[in-house]
Amino acid sequence: FMQELSIEKRVKKITENLEDKKALDVMEYDLRDKDYFVDFVIVATTMADKHAAALLDHLKKTLKPFETFLGVQASDDCTVIDLGDILIHLMSEEYRAKYQLEEFLKEFKNLIDLFFYQAAKQSSQSAFLEWLNPKNKKKFTWGETSSNIYKLAKTIKTNIADGDRCLLVSENRPEWLIADIAIMLANGIT
């Protein structure tokens, strides 16, 4: 059974299943030495929407008796299959080229990298939308959010010495995430 197999053998089995059903450019990424929420990511290109659906059906049929499917998110261009410790991305050629997930996975080191990778790709787009009241909403772009994180991290490094302790109390709002990432960027612990 696949759960009894090592993760390397499970990844190989998944990759073989994808290649047998004509998925293109199947790549495996071992992320066990990185600060990511899964151990492996498998990325494959699909030939069309129907091909992606057929690949998903095949994986469900061949893996479900042995793997736990925690979730599947599917759109016209991308299907993501969550097996807990393995993520499978089935992407159209255009979607894969646009988002260049492989470049991120090769260079990714931690969750801070993930945030700034996303920010660099979508600087002017909205990252958060905060509703202060129905007539007043504030938009936080990725670029503005990144800038605020860097400024706050610099302030923290300048004004808080190693070993100092401080407390952050806030409502659940975008500024809390900005502060949390800035603390991590300044080598603090949150």
Side-chain angles (χ1 to χ4, degrees):
F1 292 102
M2 294 194 64
Q3 288 290 4
E4 296 170 2
L5 295 176
S6 69
I7 193 165
E8 293 88 356
K9 289 181 181 176
R10 291 170 50 221
V11 167
K12 184 176 183 204
K13 185 74 171 165
I14 293 165
T15 300
E16 288 171 353
N17 272 286
L18 290 170
E19 289 172 343
D20 287 347
K21 292 298 178 183
K22 309 295 183 218
L24 306 173
D25 301 318
V26 180
M27 301 292 294
E28 306 165 4
Y29 297 92
D30 184 346
L31 303 176
R32 290 177 289 187
D33 65 338
K34 301 185 182 206
D35 184 16
Y36 202 57
F37 65 98
V38 295
D39 294 332
F40 275 86
V41 172
I42 300 169
V43 181
T45 300
T46 60
M47 293 185 275
D49 295 352
K50 288 183 181 183
H51 185 225
L55 286 170
L56 175 60
D57 288 344
H58 178 70
L59 289 174
K60 282 182 176 179
K61 184 174 139 188
T62 58
L63 300 177
K64 207 159 195 170
F66 315 107
E67 292 280 359
T68 302
F69 280 65
L70 298 178
V72 174
Q73 292 182 348
S75 69
D76 291 341
D77 292 313
C78 182
T79 300
V80 180
I81 304 162
D82 182 357
L83 301 177
D85 53 353
I86 301 169
L87 273 184
I88 305 167
H89 291 267
L90 307 175
M91 305 170 134
S92 69
E93 187 175 352
E94 297 79 20
Y95 195 85
R96 191 167 176 175
K98 179 179 179 181
Y99 288 99
Q100 301 176 0
L101 182 60
E102 292 90 343
E103 294 305 312
F104 165 71
L105 292 171
K106 287 178 192 172
E107 297 183 25
F108 170 78
K109 294 179 188 78
N110 55 48
L111 293 175
I112 294 172
D113 284 353
L114 173 62
F115 181 87
F116 288 110
Y117 174 82
Q118 189 70 18
K121 292 185 79 63
Q122 301 183 56
S123 181
S124 63
Q125 294 181 7
S126 178
F128 307 104
L129 189 62
E130 179 179 24
W131 293 90
L132 303 174
N133 67 50
K135 295 181 182 178
N136 184 16
K137 61 183 176 181
K138 182 176 180 184
K139 180 174 111 174
F140 292 77
T141 66
W142 284 98
E144 172 190 24
T145 302
S146 295
S147 177
N148 288 335
I149 288 169
Y150 282 122
K151 287 176 191 173
L152 183 55
K154 183 177 180 180
T155 300
I156 291 168
K157 281 187 162 196
T158 304
N159 295 302
I160 299 175
D162 287 347
D164 283 356
R165 295 174 185 233
C166 63
L167 176 66
L168 172 66
V169 179
S170 171
E171 296 176 17
N172 189 9
R173 46 191 293 162
E175 291 87 354
W176 180 86
L177 181 62
I178 291 167
D180 195 44
I181 295 173
I183 292 166
M184 289 186 278
L185 189 62
N187 298 320
I189 299 171
T190 63

